[in-house]
Amino acid sequence: MAKSGNAIAVILAGGQGSRFWPLSRVRLPKQFLSISENGESLIQATVRRVEPLVGRENICVVANDSLRPTIVEHVPHAQVVVEPEARNTAACIGLAAVAALVGAQGADPVLLVLPADHAVKDEDRLRVALAEAIHQARENDVLVTIGIPPTHPNTGYGYIKRGEVLSGRTYRVDRFYEKPNLQRAERYLETGGYSWNSGMFVWRASVILEAFKEHLPAMYNGLVGIRQEIEAGRLMSPRVSELFSKFESISIDFGILEHAKNCLVIDAEEFGWNDVGSWDQWAENFATDSEGNLIKGDALAIDSAGCVVRAHDRLIAAVGLKDVVVIDSGDALLVVSRDHVQDVRKVVSELKQRGRTELI
């Protein structure tokens, strides 16, 4: 990693994206798929967006070792930090923080922690928000998140209640809220003063580790041991795997942010953010026909409206359907109503129970 005080982009790329089954698989998860007409993958777009802020030499991707060849294929200039196993975002971010401090050789780098699988339409506005977050993190011992102006009462996102305004669009965080029901989401929107939690975070490596020490002390102690291994040049040692395997599987939100008192939120200007969390949201990135149908590949939609149909190597004809998603991967076919797209992950769970590993 960087040996200067420059910011480092830490790209979290270990998730499977099970809601994108049947295209997203263990061997090729969602972040390596494309939602653009030019074929650029989600992880490639994520890296390209932040390179003007951190430089090509300061890109770090955190993922499991099985994805290393795919990461090298998509972003060959990135450094790969291998998480020994999936233990949720807190462990993943802690590992990246100690690796960054070791690589910085005495500096205290600012970390831009970003999911690998989000889409953005106005990249300049995003960079403005991230630049302000970097400034706040450099100057203060704070944990900064990028807030998204809510456009509708979405129940699939966490919410942030903004507190005291510090300057411009920078606020103290009053409270983090987990994904609400529809009634509560409507109230948040009506009341105002709330942002969607984008899952994009900015902080200095030492500050987030101090937060681990306070709020997740057992994990912090393990990270101290891992740091010693990394300093000795043994990032992939059995000791690292042993320590990592004992970490609680908990998100950074649950484990730290909901308890920390030094959180800020940048209430970003609308920049066309999409976490591409379902086939429904994937479809928002493409033009539709006059009936709101998105057709990809050799497919037809007759007397149908609001459908998403993606063919693979055979014709798919949808007749008389409304708000239905049909995705063909060649070896599997998904048919789901648009109001149940969040439940696609249940298919993956069922396939695991049935031992159908060739399909996951």
Side-chain angles (χ1 to χ4, degrees):
M1 291 195 189
K3 296 182 180 180
S4 69
N6 290 340
I8 298 171
V10 176
I11 313 297
L12 307 183
Q16 182 183 344
S18 57
R19 285 175 294 183
F20 270 80
W21 186 88
L23 289 192
S24 183
R25 305 289 180 92
V26 170
R27 64 182 181 276
L28 190 69
K30 179 183 68 168
Q31 54 268 28
F32 302 105
L33 303 179
S34 172
I35 63 168
S36 65
E37 299 292 358
N38 65 11
E40 183 181 50
S41 67
L42 286 165
I43 191 172
Q44 287 172 332
T46 299
V47 169
R48 176 183 52 73
R49 284 195 296 267
V50 297
E51 280 185 350
L53 294 173
V54 303
R56 284 176 58 86
E57 70 279 9
N58 289 335
I59 301 293
C60 167
V61 179
V62 187
N64 62 72
D65 195 45
S66 66
L67 293 177
R68 185 195 292 267
T70 310
I71 293 169
V72 171
E73 177 186 346
H74 284 247
V75 280
H77 59 285
Q79 175 173 337
V80 181
V81 171
V82 173
E83 52 178 347
E85 59 184 84
R87 304 300 292 168
N88 216 317
T89 55
C92 181
I93 289 169
L95 176 64
V98 295
L101 278 177
V102 172
Q105 297 184 353
D108 187 10
V110 173
L111 308 182
L112 280 70
V113 180
L114 307 168
D117 55 1
H118 289 183
V120 170
K121 291 181 180 178
D122 192 328
E123 298 181 353
D124 288 335
R125 282 188 173 179
L126 169 62
R127 282 189 286 266
V128 167
L130 288 173
E132 175 59 22
I134 291 170
H135 169 73
Q136 292 291 342
R138 277 191 174 133
E139 298 298 318
N140 305 288
D141 294 344
V142 291
L143 307 173
V144 190
T145 184
I146 303 299
I148 307 296
T151 57
H152 59 283
N154 195 298
T155 60
Y157 301 144
Y159 284 70
I160 301 169
K161 184 179 180 182
R162 301 190 298 274
E164 173 193 359
V165 60
L166 298 181
S167 63
R169 304 183 73 93
T170 303
Y171 297 77
R172 295 193 187 279
V173 170
D174 183 75
R175 184 175 171 182
F176 287 88
Y177 290 89
E178 290 306 310
K179 299 173 183 178
N181 58 32
L182 181 58
Q183 184 180 14
R184 185 168 294 177
E186 288 173 342
R187 187 167 70 249
Y188 293 164
L189 201 64
E190 201 174 290
T191 303
Y194 290 83
S195 303
W196 284 335
N197 186 351
S198 69
M200 293 184 263
F201 309 111
V202 182
W203 41 56
R204 295 201 316 280
S206 66
V207 175
I208 188 61
L209 287 174
E210 189 63 29
F212 273 94
K213 185 177 182 180
E214 180 177 358
H215 303 292
L216 292 173
M219 191 177 295
Y220 173 79
N221 291 335
L223 290 171
V224 170
I226 288 175
R227 179 174 179 173
Q228 293 169 349
E229 290 295 300
I230 296 174
E231 288 173 335
R234 299 190 294 266
L235 175 59
M236 302 286 287
S237 74
R239 177 63 175 159
V240 170
S241 297
E242 178 188 355
L243 290 168
F244 201 87
S245 69
K246 295 178 180 177
F247 287 162
E248 179 183 3
S249 181
I250 191 171
S251 72
I252 196 74
D253 304 78
F254 274 125
I256 291 179
L257 297 180
E258 292 186 6
H259 310 287
K261 304 301 183 184
N262 59 333
C263 294
L264 305 183
V265 58
I266 308 296
D267 182 38
E269 288 190 80
E270 171 60 47
F271 54 82
W273 173 77
N274 187 329
D275 75 342
V276 201
S278 66
W279 284 112
D280 203 37
Q281 292 173 323
W282 173 81
E284 293 176 6
N285 293 277
F286 300 97
T288 58
D289 64 19
S290 60
E291 298 300 321
N293 300 303
L294 172 63
I295 305 299
K296 287 290 182 181
D298 190 9
L300 302 171
I302 300 169
D303 296 332
S304 297
C307 292
V308 178
V309 184
R310 183 195 183 277
H312 179 65
D313 55 4
R314 55 183 169 180
L315 171 68
I316 293 181
V319 182
L321 300 181
K322 184 177 181 181
D323 297 333
V324 172
V325 175
V326 183
I327 306 295
D328 187 6
S329 65
D331 62 347
L333 180 68
L334 170 70
V335 182
V336 59
S337 63
R338 291 187 78 154
D339 59 358
H340 281 76
V341 288
Q342 298 291 335
D343 294 331
V344 172
R345 62 177 62 186
K346 294 179 180 179
V347 177
V348 177
S349 297
E350 183 67 23
L351 289 171
K352 286 180 180 178
Q353 291 182 11
R354 297 188 181 196
R356 300 294 302 274
T357 55
E358 79 282 5
L359 291 174
I360 57 175

